[in-house]
Amino acid sequence: MKTVPVLSLEEAARLVKPGQTLLVGGFGMTGNPVHLMHALAETGTGDLTYVANNVSEPGLSGGRLLRNGQIRKAVGSYFTSNPEAVKAYQAGELEVELLPQGTLAEALRAGGAGIGGFYTPTAAGTVIAEGADVRVLSGREMVFVPALHGDVALLRAWRADRAGNLQYRLTEQNFNPPMATAADLVIVEVEEIVEVGEIAPEQVHTPGLYVDYLVQASLTPDDLGSSADVKGGAKKVDPARLHMARRALQELRPGDVVNLGIGIPTLVADLLTPEHGVILHTENGMLGVGPAPEGGGAMDYPVNAGKIPVTALPGASYFDSAASFGMIRGGHVDVAVMGGLQVDEAGNLANWAVPGKPLLGVGGAMDLAGGARRLIVTMTHTEPGGAPKLVPECTLPLTARGRVEMVITDRAVFEFLEGELTLTGLMPGATLEEVRATTAARFAERVAGPTI
């Protein structure tokens, strides 16, 4: 059995050279090699291509490298979570390559498996696929994505033995396992290093053959940013939003595997009881999500896709991001409940690009909208200025084409019946005349009264 060298943070950081491509694990600050990144920030090493889900948080981990001007290009799925990344892009100081979250995970998995690339239905027909090789395979448009490979991977695991075998904690797997396979040099920051044999074989998530160096560094709540305490993720709740969440809950059946998007859909989780029998999936690597805890943070609990600490129900499981999005694209998620900016008469959804803002944050929306068996959209009926969100044709960049089955707004419920947008219910306090006046899309009417 090999022995993996243990380095200091400073020694490890000096192994990264200017101009290299860096793979950085983590989902937000969970499973993030924050101490390695801060040591790298001290070196001043620059001109880096930074591959990660996002650029962490302002001044933390990759956010510190960004603030120092060490990152030339960022490849990831959700840069809007760090306002400083948006400003750097707008100022021409940062080059950005945006990938859907599942595409990013699969590109890393392919890079580590010696596969040159793959075809995926995710993003077909959207601006992200512009210029890509698109083919029709098995009756669906598929976009070709080349594999991703890095010079150095900086990762975070909970435990390692001296042979480099890694064990992750809760939702801290995320991008770490695929990245461990996809770099020439792999350095892993861990909470604890134990002797060979102390991690049982069935508890090894990443075999030691991928790992070149270990660094020991302990997490504190200060390292976890907004995930340090569940109170940092408090949700805005008002009666109209709760009405929409309750109506969405009516569509869920016992045994359904359900993914809830950020915003209004997350309120559904607070309404679920064990009697509903619904299994919640979160794309950062968990099945069996429970309600938010009364207190505590990511030091004690897993986190959901909103980076909010949650509990785990009996029978829950954890996995990495590549496996999670394989579940989604493979049609194993029964229902996705997502927010929306626009839905049109053809069942197209636009929900990721805010008008007037740079296209920097798609996350897992395209994978979920295209991969879930059923897509329900919850959104306000109009923009704050009164413009309709149900439109003849989406004018905002598309998330997915022809996938929406139901739309729940604060005024009405619409379903696509026999291919036609159809009003099937009114929300409390809404009138038919009001819905007609504030809906730009054409629709049929099969409504008898309030829907909840």
Side-chain angles (χ1 to χ4, degrees), residues 217-234:
S218 295
L219 281 179
T220 69
D222 290 341
D223 300 321
L224 294 170
S226 60
S227 296
D229 195 300
V230 67
K231 295 174 184 176

Side-chain angles (χ1 to χ4, degrees), residues 394-446:
C394 289
T395 57
L396 297 175
L398 291 184
T399 304
R401 296 183 302 177
R403 298 291 300 179
V404 180
E405 290 195 14
M406 174 178 279
V407 182
I408 301 170
T409 77
D410 50 347
R411 296 177 183 171
V413 176
F414 294 84
E415 298 178 61
F416 283 87
L417 302 177
E418 299 175 353
E420 184 177 24
L421 181 65
T422 305
L423 176 66
T424 59
L426 296 173
M427 298 296 280
T431 66
L432 182 57
E433 291 72 23
E434 179 186 24
V435 171
R436 287 171 177 165
T438 55
T439 305
R442 295 172 300 175
F443 60 91
E445 297 179 7
R446 299 187 193 178

Side-chain angles (χ1 to χ4, degrees), residues 286-326:
M286 182 179 179
L287 197 61
V289 179
E294 292 296 324
M299 293 287 289
D300 311 295
Y301 297 99
V303 301
N304 64 14
K307 304 177 184 67
I308 297 170
V310 293
T311 56
L313 297 178
S317 57
Y318 304 109
F319 32 85
D320 66 52
S321 293
S324 185
F325 281 95

Side-chain angles (χ1 to χ4, degrees), residues 40-58:
L40 180 58
E42 291 295 318
T43 68
T45 301
D47 194 32
L48 298 171
T49 296
Y50 177 96
V51 181
N53 185 54
N54 54 23
V55 192
S56 306
E57 297 186 12

Side-chain angles (χ1 to χ4, degrees), residues 72-91:
R72 176 183 59 82
K73 177 180 179 180
V75 180
S77 82
Y78 202 75
F79 300 112
T80 52
S81 58
N82 185 339
E84 292 182 5
V86 177
K87 291 179 182 178
Y89 170 78
Q90 292 175 316

Side-chain angles (χ1 to χ4, degrees), residues 236-246 267 410 427-428 452:
K236 177 184 176 182
V237 180
D238 60 53
R241 290 163 66 92
L242 281 174
H243 286 323
M244 286 185 270
R246 290 191 183 101
L267 298 176
D410 50 347
M427 298 296 280
I452 58 173

